[in-house]
Amino acid sequence: MKFKAFTNWCKELTHVANCDNSQRAGFTLAEVLITLGIIGVVAALTMPSLIENHRKKEVVTKLKAFNSIMGQAFQMSKEENGDWDTWDGNSFGHGGEGYDWTSGDGEKQLEWLQKYVLPYMKVTETTTKGKYAIVGLPNGTGFSNYNKHYFFCLKFKDCKEITETWNSRDRFIFQFTRDKGFHPYTDGNDFTSREDIMNNPRGAHACNKTKGTGLCAKLIEYDGWEIRKDYPW
């Protein structure tokens, strides 16, 4: 009796739909299509931003990991092999007459790495190309190296294809100096502000779309391993 009374009461409240589930009207095809269209528009507007943010986080994560792995390897080697300034020379990338930067000995460069650095870290592959030693890492990244310069690649295969290049998205420059160890490339400067890193009035490299992106790893480190809104992505 109570259920029947509730049903009669419910029917009196609305002329649009019945309370009886067997007679309730559903969504029309037009309503479904409109809803799907709205969802599609929202997705189209938000997906590029979500993908870009994910990409930036991936870059920062792998950059930070590379800096940490290499820094620890150099430090552990220092404890076992003595101070950095007592190590054998590592300048094999500018051999030839007239200080020819296009020539050098990648095999000797790799031998140096195998003596001082690679025993203290995990690697998946090593090879050489011209004056460069090339090393793959377990997370799919890698680097090419000559002298003090380390060219990090977000994808190891890129290091083997083009050994020396840099940009603000997937190729970055690091360096090893005997006084400071391993760190992002600084172009020989001690920066005191992010504006100096972005514009670098004292050197050839910077981190902007006009002067170049050689210091972008340094800028990301300076910003606390973060890609900010004014970063030249």
Side-chain angles (χ1 to χ4, degrees), residues 187-202:
D187 199 20
N189 295 293
D190 292 320
F191 296 107
T192 58
S193 71
R194 68 189 309 271
E195 288 73 22
D196 278 351
I197 300 172
M198 294 186 75
N199 301 305
N200 192 17
R202 300 181 298 278

Side-chain angles (χ1 to χ4, degrees), residues 74 77-78 81-89 112 116 176 178:
F74 275 98
S77 182
K78 179 181 179 181
N81 296 301
D83 291 340
W84 293 320
D85 57 6
T86 67
W87 291 9
D88 298 338
W112 188 90
Y116 288 109
F176 165 69
R178 294 174 184 268

Side-chain angles (χ1 to χ4, degrees), residues 28-57:
T28 66
L29 178 59
E31 290 171 331
V32 172
L33 293 176
I34 291 172
T35 302
L36 291 176
I38 293 172
I39 294 173
V41 170
V42 172
L45 293 174
T46 59
M47 282 302 293
S49 177
L50 293 175
I51 293 172
E52 182 175 288
N53 289 336
H54 173 75
R55 174 69 170 166
K56 289 179 179 179
K57 289 180 180 179

